[in-house]
Amino acid sequence: MTDSKYFTTTKKGEIFELKAELNSDKKEKKKEAVKKVIASMTVGKDVSALFPDVVNCMQTDNLELKKLVYLYLMNYAKSQPDMAIMAVNTFVKDCEDPNPLIRALAVRTMGCIRVDKITEYLCEPLRKCLKDEDPYVRKTAAVCVAKLHDINAQLVEDQGFLDTLKDLISDSNPMVVANAVAALSEIAESHPNSNLLDLNPQTINKLLTALNECTEWGQIFILDCLANYMPRDDRESQSICERVTPRLSHANSAVVLSAVKVLMKFMEMLPKDLDYYGTLLKKLAPPLVTLLSAEPELQYVALRNINLIVQKRPEILKHEMKVFFVKYNDPIYVKLEKLDIMIRLASQANIAQVLAELKEYATEVDVDFVRKAVRAIGRCAIKVEQSAERCVSTLLDLIQTKVNYVVQEAIVVIKDIFRKYPNKYESVIATLCENLDSLDEPEARAAMIWIVGEYAERIDNADELLESFLEGFHDESTQVQLQLLTAIVKLFLKKPTETQELVQQVLSLATQDSDNPDLRDRGYIYWRLLSTDPVAAKEVVLAEKPLISEETDLIEPTLLEELICHIGTLASVYHKPPSAFVEGSRGVQHKRIPARAGSGESAESSDVGQSGPSEAPPAVIPSQGDLLGDLLNLDLAPPTATVPSVQPSMQMGAMDLLGGGLDSLLGGDIGGSPSMGAGLGVAPAAMPTALGIAPAVGGVGMPTGSYVAPKTVWLPAMKAKGLEISGTFARRGGIIQMDLTLTNKAMSVMTDFAIQFNRNSFGLAPAGPLQVLTPLSPNQTIDVSLPLSTSGPVMKMEPLNNLQVAVKNNIDVFYFSCQYPLSLIFVEDGKMERQVFLATWKDIPNDNEAQFQIKDIHLNSDAASNKLQGSNIFTIAKRTVEGQDMLYQSVKLTNGIWVLAEMRIQTGNPNYTLSIKCRAPEVCQFVFLCYELVLKN
Amino acid sequence: MIGGLFIYNHKGEVLISRVYRDDIGRNAVDAFRVNVIHARQQVRSPVTNFARTSFFHVKRSNIWLAAVTKQNVNAAMVFEFLYKMCDVMTAYFSKISEENIKNNFVLIYELLDEILDFGYPQNSETGALKTFITQQGIKSQTKEEQSQITSQVTGQIGWRREGIKYRRNELFLDVLESVNLLMSPQGQVLSAHVSGRVVMKSYLSGMPECKFGMNDKIVIDKQGKGGTTDDSGKSGKQSIAIDDCTFHQCVRLSKFDSERSISFIPPDGEYELMRYRTTKDIILPFRVIPLVREVGRTKLEVKVVIKSNFKPSLLAQKIEVRIPTPLNTSGVQVICMKGKAKYKASENAIVWKIKRMAGMKESQISAEIELLPTNDKKKWARPPISMNFEVPFAPSGLKVRYLKVFEPKLNYSDHDVIKWVRYIGRSGIYETRC
């Protein structure tokens, strides 16, 4: 057999020669000629001109020749429909042949000839073949129905072939059943609502029986079909699972994966407390691991699927970390997938092992793999907090290798680590800056620029660094340009005096010299912000960023569910729904996991509800519907520092534009989508208010009430002829009260009490008479509360909070002076708008600022701000920089004077630093005293 | 389903092109050539998608097999099918090469017509296929013969035909294991597993029913409960824990699932009965102890000790230790006590070969590696030291307990069957980091 010679004929006039040979009388020569024709066809030559001559050879009893002619027909019939009719007779005749192999061949080939006229002739033979006595013919006919349906769906329905096909599901031969199932499934896909595959417990039972008997391929068809069934209840679900589990030991990986699909889907319906549920979970792990010893291509498919399974049910493989360790000679696609799964399975329990492996991988040869390994180290840091420190030091080690792409990748992930643990690892910034020159990839440059901008106040030469990038601004990629713009604006807001020129330069580069609309838009927004309202600009640009969530790359839950229903298929390999890569309607219907029995909720939510705390799914990117709400939440709900917020970036489609765009405006996202474009350009004026207001931390807690000092003796009895007055001041619900205790230490009864204040700094005056109604007998004590107003005459006192009081009784008039805490006149509406705060803070000259130390306070910042709020000292904003909490607070006095304060609390340091700014600097001292008083009590 | 199947040579020329679905055009053939075979960069995935057309490919020597589809097909099935296609071709004309494919292209088309219908894989057992796809021209088959063929192709026992007769009923059972190891330089086992196969060659008459038994822990424990437990402690471990196993389609899986018994009607000739994997109590036949010392920037001292860890009466064969050397190696001096060692510059490794080595022995190699000074900043990755060997036992500890044959219709009994059992343990990926 040396058929290869057919491939070599490339003479001129070849077609002509072949024609002669095909019409030769000698059988052998004919056969040779047909072979040559097929060889030419294979390599792509057009031999359609020989159609009539080849079809003439069809009438032969040589099966091999017949098959070759049929092959030719299938290829060219469509281009020569009229001549193809010539073949019909032979087909019809062959369908009656006593040899079942020939009958099947005829019906199989006929179905492949996509010529309308021929299909009409096909109907009758097909009908016969569907009921043929030989199973080989029936199984071929079953597939032929699907072929015919593909050509002319209406014809198939009209001819009633679908019913015949359905009957074949009950055929005695398992292969006929399998092919019928395959054909029906395919036809059903193009009729989503036809209920064609009328799956009911009886048919399911038939399928499960056939499952044990048919070929490996047939098992796949049946399992894939079973996966579309929705069991009635958990009992049925369990019984199907029980009959499917033996397939997990099949040598064919596709059978195993399809069985896994059925089980993954149906176990959703089983109650989790069921013993069987646990058994099933345990049974799933070994076959999945075994798939990894298959050939590399299958390993790849398996790993892509395991990636989904791990996200859906992490408990199945949580102890199998080791099998995902990369082998030295794994193909690169296997290595990359294994790495992905390793990160998903990483937990506190195995992190040491994982890190050791990752470090090993970071020294390999393949650049992509090394990069991914470096990235993985960063992801471990973000995922397992306890390992963060180790990860960072590993990354620093890797940076020391100076291998260019390793350094760049490390910088990109360190940026993410900063976003997860702000103010924790800034000590490494210096090392990063050393490598600035070697960065040539946009992502790494952008990351570095982000770091410089974000920590500009910590980097002495931040302006120089950023300026150096600015030189080649127009040669940078958009990502870098956007980031550079934001970083310089940040720098300007932090160090306004030195960087004015720089910011103007970048703004003009972005807005005037660039033709990138995104860059221009962003530039304009910043420009307008800076020129109209620098305070608002600060709000927007330096706003506190939400922490990034641990697993930003998780597949969105609804998509994940759909993909679970497609385990083993291309969709699961691409991690995309079929609609993303399949044309037309076929297979585009969304598949869903059945809901768990007994819970009326969706499967998804019941899953969350019933899984234990340890397996609660990690916070995932919100599904599309929630996104807007989430973006709003970003503004309205307090992002408490300890709870990682969700990063507003979507994986898919249009939402990404929105998410990335907004985020990057906040100065947060490095990879910010460059197309923030139109939506944001609409109302730049509205942006600051919509985005910038990060809520005050202290606002959440309940006020603890104003502090009231214990009474002190103001007027000793000796000085007042036996009347002793002690008292204190309190502010309750906006009313100032002077609480007095009058004690009669004299021998006679006292009556006719009255009180009067001298003019004082804040116009305090009794709002009513001193209510001592009964005479005060000797040794009697009486408590009186005197409401005060602040509408009295004003005179500046020395000290400022001094109050001179005159008390009169039936004996005499006595004078004394006392000092009230300034908090007495802190009004309840003393919470300043953030923008106003910033503006005011700037407006007040620096000379008016006073600094104080409050010593020995053992409160955290939240408790402190709660406490202060009770005394109408309001925290407007909180910032955390390098473990130092900065509280920004405002106070309003009854006379409308605003006092602004910045309190710095270093964790672990009991001494707070307080900076107070006020237009009337005299009050600062007294405000400080109030702080001290409130905090210490 | 599969829309088409193409076979290319290494240059990207089409050797076979069979289109099953209308949505696959001739341009798909070119798309794959241009984007994968001629791609400038090495293709990084066995599944690729161009213009909404997905391509699955496998490569055998320098032949590319590509399956094409536009639908959401079962990807695992497509690859399994491609492997099967390779098996079938190998069974018909041994090696898959450009020449063999060209020589057999008519046969291949015939096979493709038979085993893939409208893109749905059909029976692809070579045993069955060989009965009616012969390339010998059509034999005038009798009606009985014909229906026998069709019933075999579609039947429950598609892998065996009726009426096989042997004068001598004989079967060979090979337990082939490959032991995989990844060890840290300090001698800590990072991962180890055995993947084993039970390969059977059966020459049995009729339709024999077979039952295979091994020292599976689950089975032994079950039996042990009722019977004596004396011998469990006698000779070390009696049973092994199998992590997972898969079977040839002839094995009745439901029976294995319920009773854990392995019963089947075997195909005729050679086939793989089962595959299994174990991770517990693996006998590691060799231990590699590496010592690598960098002496300055231009010299490396390597010392490697191997220790054999099995019964002294057994002999390991074909031992090969591969010690990687840096790319900038300029010269190597090796001293070894046993076997032969050579520096192979083309492979960047010192290859040390020992023909035979008995158990409980040790041997050592030391080498001095001269390096060319480079200013390459990148450190040498130090690939692991790998090892190859063959030992006459199963590192997993698996033992065949019985293989019973029943043929009710013919008059031979289990005792008349001559059975041969052999154990071979080979190294899989057996690496020690250094």
Side-chain angles (χ1 to χ4, degrees), chain A residues 189 209 253 500 762 828:
Chain A
E189 266 185 16
T209 311
S253 308
Q500 194 137 9
F762 297 97
E828 276 67 26

Side-chain angles (χ1 to χ4, degrees), chain A residues 274-323:
Chain A
L274 198 69
D275 284 348
Y276 181 70
Y277 179 84
T279 318
L280 199 52
L281 273 183
K282 270 191 214 115
K283 276 194 174 169
L284 275 170
L288 288 174
V289 172
T290 298
L291 290 176
L292 297 184
S293 48
E295 289 85 346
E297 291 88 2
L298 267 174
Q299 276 187 53
Y300 174 72
V301 173
L303 286 164
R304 293 293 284 175
N305 280 288
I306 289 172
N307 200 325
L308 298 173
I309 292 167
V310 164
Q311 288 184 54
K312 180 74 190 161
R313 299 194 174 279
E315 64 270 32
I316 293 178
L317 286 167
K318 67 179 172 207
H319 299 304
E320 302 288 351
M321 172 60 92
K322 274 189 179 175
V323 299

Side-chain angles (χ1 to χ4, degrees), chain A residues 1-4 6-7 35 38-39 41-44 61 63-64 67-68 71 74 78 98-101 105 108 114 133-136 139-140 143 146-147 150 173-175 179 182 186 213 215-217 220-221 224 245-247 249-254 257-258 283 286-287 289-290 295 297-298 300-301 322 327-329 332-333 357 360 363-366 368 401-403 405 566 568-571 573-574 578-583 586, chain B residues 1 14-18 21-23 26 42-49 51-52 54-60 69-77 79-81 83-84 99 102-106 109-110 113-114 117-118 120-125 132-133 135 137-138 141 143 146-147 149-151 153-156 182 189-191 193 195 243-249 253-254 256-257 275 277 377-378 381-384 429 431 433:
Chain A
M1 281 207 286
T2 48
D3 287 350
S4 58
Y6 303 117
F7 283 89
K35 282 188 181 180
I38 300 291
M41 192 178 84
T42 298
V43 296
D61 51 359
L63 193 56
E64 192 191 3
K67 283 182 180 173
L68 288 175
L71 187 63
M74 286 187 263
K78 219 177 164 187
N99 186 341
L101 292 173
L105 177 65
R108 184 164 70 211
R114 305 178 62 90
E133 50 166 23
D134 194 294
Y136 184 76
K139 72 111 182 162
T140 311
V143 175
K147 292 178 187 170
D150 194 36
N173 183 294
M175 195 157 176
N179 277 4
E186 177 164 344
E213 294 166 348
T215 65
E216 44 194 332
W217 315 115
I220 300 170
F221 306 153
D224 284 352
T245 32
R247 299 298 118 197
S249 306
H250 202 287
N252 187 315
S253 308
L257 268 178
S258 291
K283 276 194 174 169
V289 172
T290 298
E295 289 85 346
E297 291 88 2
L298 267 174
Y300 174 72
V301 173
K322 274 189 179 175
K327 291 181 194 146
Y328 196 67
N329 52 357
I332 183 65
Y333 50 82
E357 282 291 312
E360 200 75 39
T363 59
E364 283 228 24
V365 212
D366 189 286
D368 280 353
T401 64
K402 302 277 178 200
V403 179
Y405 53 85
H566 287 294
T569 70
L570 263 181
V573 173
Y574 293 147
S579 54
F581 58 90
V582 174
E583 274 167 3
R586 188 170 270 163
Chain B
M1 280 306 114
V14 198
L15 304 178
I16 299 287
S17 123
R18 177 72 163 94
R21 297 268 174 157
D22 206 33
D23 53 4
R26 182 82 201 175
Q42 185 201 352
V43 174
R44 314 214 112 203
S45 161
V47 186
T48 45
N49 189 307
R52 294 202 151 213
S54 296
F55 297 83
F56 301 77
H57 72 266
V58 300
K59 220 180 153 190
R60 289 290 180 270
T69 184
K70 282 204 164 183
Q71 298 174 26
N72 182 30
V73 298
N74 188 320
M77 186 189 78
F79 279 123
E80 283 284 4
F81 175 79
Y83 301 142
K84 198 71 184 195
E99 185 165 8
K102 280 185 172 173
N103 280 336
N104 293 288
F105 85 96
V106 176
Y109 276 123
E110 203 178 331
D113 195 42
E114 186 59 44
D117 190 4
F118 202 39
Y120 289 105
Q122 304 294 304
N123 193 336
S124 47
E125 286 298 313
F132 69 106
I133 296 181
Q135 283 288 292
I138 187 152
Q141 291 148 323
K143 195 149 193 218
Q146 286 162 3
S147 70
I149 289 169
T150 57
S151 77
V153 172
T154 60
Q156 291 183 23
L182 182 62
V189 177
L190 296 174
S191 71
H193 74 273
S195 55
D243 286 25
D244 188 36
C245 47
T246 59
F247 296 99
H248 185 269
Q249 58 169 321
L253 294 178
S254 38
F256 178 74
D257 197 56
R275 273 176 192 238
R277 186 166 47 84
K377 275 185 195 152
K378 204 178 162 211
R382 283 206 188 183
I429 294 158
E431 294 177 336
R433 287 184 179 155

Side-chain angles (χ1 to χ4, degrees), chain B residues 251-268:
Chain B
V251 175
R252 295 185 185 88
L253 294 178
S254 38
K255 212 156 182 194
F256 178 74
D257 197 56
S258 55
E259 303 162 24
R260 222 170 157 90
S261 74
I262 303 164
S263 66
F264 53 99
I265 294 171
D268 195 40

